[in-house]
């Protein structure tokens, strides 16, 4: 099986038996969408909450929550997943530096924006490991849908 | 479509490299005085690179690093980061204070404040040189320390840039706080001083230096 890597502001899809991962999420949020019947999982590494923040007319959709998550849904449907069966898990959105205002920090805004777009798309969030003040590496397994979260100083968790 | 960062001219990259030389040279001198031993500045690199290359550049997204982060405010805005390998942070504290301050693998409060102060002195002296050179009024925020995965830290520093571009210009100077040991061998510990101006600040830098009309830019 292969491990498909997703970079910053990027997205991709993995089919069984492959897994998909993104390394070193800080204030960025990793959203995974899983179709358990087809055993297909997709992942997007969201950097910023909204395309309204874009100062350029051409941008990577995966960079923003409100364009990246819908694009990932399209990619999954293209790969054979059913839109109706998709379930979401997410991780990241940390506050890496103490000077960021905790209420309005970019990590928190990323989490909220991902939840908002998933709600609009009618995709339930069944698990999350968000917030805090530490970096995360995440790997999603296409055969089970399990999302593994690895950090520097804490035990590995599987959600 | 033209990207202000990806498509920057070689001439303007040279100008930024000069800024790095001047700023980091000043910072290395300040660090040398603080440590009471030579600090060498090895090389300045100024390269436009995609975000994922930035994390590769610092040893990969999962590489554990000690970083002191300062936000720059004033006539230009941006981020300044002093990045070391996690072990090098402890070594620096040990050299300055005779104690690496590590208990349970984590930096003590004392060690953290020593490193923050080092970051403060480095960014302050870097920006003083930049300010003398350009006439800019520049201030920095209180420095913040973070020991974590390079990807998690650097991606936060790239946030402002990400609003305008998928590329960043990392104005990087590598310094060797270890200097040369008694045998003249270069010690392995090294740090990077990164200047990451917000995209709209590049034009102000070139304007202040009178090079904004150069070539097609």
């Amino acid at each position: 099986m292969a491990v498909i890597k997703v970079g910053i502001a990027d997205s991709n899809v993995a089919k069984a038996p492959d897994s998909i991962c993104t390394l070193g999420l800080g204030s960025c949020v990793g959203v995974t969408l899983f179709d358990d019947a087809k055993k297909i999982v997709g992942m997007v590494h969201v950097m910023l909450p909204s395309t309204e923040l874009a100062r350029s007319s051409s941008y990577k959709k995966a960079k923003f929550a409100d364009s990246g998550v819908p694009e990932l849904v399209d990619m999954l449907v293209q790969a054979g997943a059913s839109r109706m069966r998709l379930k979401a898990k997410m991780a990241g959105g940390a506050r890496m530096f103490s000077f960021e205002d905790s209420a309005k920090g970019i990590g928190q805004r990323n989490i909220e924006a991902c939840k908002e777009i998933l709600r609009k798309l009618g995709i339930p969030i069944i698990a999350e490991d968000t917030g805090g003040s530490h970096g995360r590496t995440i790997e999603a397994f296409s055969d089970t849908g399990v999302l593994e979260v690895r950090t520097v100083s804490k035990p590995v968790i599987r959600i | 479509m033209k990207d202000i960062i990806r498509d920057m001219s070689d001439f303007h990259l040279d100008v930024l490299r000069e800024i790095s030389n001047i700023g980091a040279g000043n910072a290395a001198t300040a660090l040398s005085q603080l440590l009471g031993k030579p600090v060498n500045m090895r090389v300045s690199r100024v390269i436009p690179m995609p975000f994922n290359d930035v994390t590769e550049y610092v040893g990969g997204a999962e590489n554990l690093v000690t970083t002191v982060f300062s936000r720059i405010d004033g006539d230009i805005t941006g981020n300044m980061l002093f990045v070391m390998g996690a072990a090098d942070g402890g070594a620096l504290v040990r050299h300055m204070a005779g104690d690496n301050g590590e208990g349970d693998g984590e930096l003590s409060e004392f060690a953290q404040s020593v490193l923050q102060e080092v970051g403060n002195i480095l960014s302050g002296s870097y920006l003083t040189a930049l300010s003398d050179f350009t006439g800019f009024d520049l201030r920095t925020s209180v420095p913040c320390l973070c020991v974590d995965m390079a990807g998690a830290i650097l991606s936060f520093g790239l946030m402002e840039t990400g609003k305008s571009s998928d590329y960043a210009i990392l104005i990087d100077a590598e310094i060797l706080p270890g200097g040369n040991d008694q045998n003249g061998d270069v010690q392995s510990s090294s740090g990077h001083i990164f200047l990451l101006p917000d995209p709209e600040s590049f034009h102000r830098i070139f304007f202040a230096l009178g090079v904004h009309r150069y070539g097609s830019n």
Side-chain angles (χ1 to χ4, degrees):
Chain A
M1 66 171 236
V3 181
I4 295 166
K5 277 194 183 171
V6 175
I8 302 171
D10 215 346
S11 55
N12 214 331
V13 169
K15 292 182 181 179
D18 297 343
S19 66
I20 188 164
C21 78
T22 194
L23 310 178
L25 285 170
S27 54
C28 299
V29 170
V31 177
T32 67
L33 301 177
F34 180 53
D35 177 340
D36 53 2
K38 288 284 174 66
K39 301 202 184 298
I40 299 175
V41 66
M43 185 181 284
V44 58
H45 183 135
V46 167
M47 194 178 184
L48 290 160
S50 166
T51 46
E52 285 171 19
L53 294 169
R55 298 209 191 93
S56 160
S57 55
S58 66
Y59 51 79
K60 286 167 88 172
K61 283 186 175 174
K63 197 182 336 187
F64 301 95
D66 61 344
S67 54
V69 177
E71 184 189 46
L72 182 63
V73 172
D74 291 343
M75 288 165 74
L76 283 159
V77 170
Q78 199 81 44
S82 157
R83 189 181 292 263
M84 306 307 297
R85 270 198 303 265
L86 292 177
K87 293 187 179 71
K89 293 182 182 180
M90 53 194 273
R95 187 170 68 114
M96 297 304 295
F97 291 96
S98 53
F99 65 85
E100 286 181 85
D101 183 337
S102 56
K104 294 178 293 185
I106 191 75
Q108 195 60 38
R109 286 167 61 200
N110 279 333
I111 295 167
E112 285 166 16
C114 288
K115 288 185 175 175
E116 173 67 14
I117 188 66
L118 287 166
R119 192 185 61 75
K120 279 186 184 163
L121 294 166
I123 299 172
I125 302 167
I126 57 168
E128 65 176 295
D129 176 46
T130 54
S133 57
H134 55 277
R136 295 169 171 92
T137 282
I138 60 170
E139 181 169 359
F141 298 90
S142 59
D143 46 356
T144 57
V146 166
L147 183 65
E148 190 171 286
V149 184
R150 300 193 283 266
T151 60
V152 168
S153 54
K154 293 180 177 168
V156 174
I157 63 168
R158 293 179 186 83
I159 56 176
Chain B
M1 192 185 146
K2 200 171 168 64
D3 182 305
I4 57 162
I5 291 179
R6 186 192 59 208
D7 302 325
M8 193 168 287
S9 72
D10 288 344
F11 173 77
H12 284 119
L13 293 175
D14 282 340
V15 171
L16 294 176
R17 197 169 298 118
E18 192 55 26
I19 282 175
S20 175
N21 281 328
I22 291 167
N26 218 36
T29 303
L31 184 61
S32 168
Q33 286 166 356
L34 194 68
L35 294 173
K37 65 176 189 174
V39 172
N40 301 325
M41 196 185 85
R42 189 147 63 181
V43 64
S44 283
R45 287 193 193 88
V46 179
I47 322 160
M49 46 181 140
F51 290 162
N52 289 305
D53 289 3
V54 174
T55 54
E56 281 308 313
Y57 187 63
V58 291
E62 287 190 293
N63 185 28
L64 191 62
V65 293
T66 299
T67 301
V68 186
F69 184 103
S70 313
R71 178 80 191 150
I72 302 165
D73 206 358
D75 289 335
I76 62 165
T77 57
N79 301 324
M80 182 156 254
L81 295 90
F82 178 48
V83 181
M84 294 158 283
D88 295 331
L92 194 58
V93 175
R94 194 162 50 244
H95 182 83
M96 287 180 66
D99 167 20
N100 69 2
E102 283 180 32
D104 304 336
E106 284 192 18
L107 290 169
S108 67
E109 219 165 284
F110 170 73
Q112 292 184 22
S113 68
V114 168
L115 286 172
Q116 278 181 355
E117 194 48 33
V118 170
N120 205 15
I121 288 163
L122 288 179
S123 58
S125 48
Y126 190 113
L127 289 181
T128 301
L130 182 55
S131 165
D132 289 347
F133 190 50
T134 56
F136 285 147
D137 177 27
L138 299 171
R139 299 174 293 276
T140 57
S141 69
V142 175
C144 270
L145 182 79
C146 187
V147 183
D148 211 313
M149 298 177 193
I153 291 174
L154 268 293
S155 60
F156 178 78
L158 294 170
M159 214 63 76
E160 274 304 314
T161 304
K163 294 175 183 174
S164 302
S165 179
D166 298 326
Y167 287 73
I169 289 182
L170 206 53
I171 302 174
D172 168 40
E174 190 178 355
I175 59 167
L176 299 167
N180 296 349
D181 67 15
Q182 285 160 339
N183 303 321
D185 296 326
V186 175
Q187 293 179 0
S188 61
S189 75
S190 72
H192 290 266
I193 304 179
F194 294 126
L195 175 65
L196 263 166
D198 293 345
E200 56 271 25
S201 291
F202 284 108
H203 185 71
R204 287 196 210 123
I205 292 171
F206 297 138
F207 196 86
L209 297 174
V211 295
H212 59 293
R213 287 189 183 279
Y214 179 86
S216 59
N217 288 288

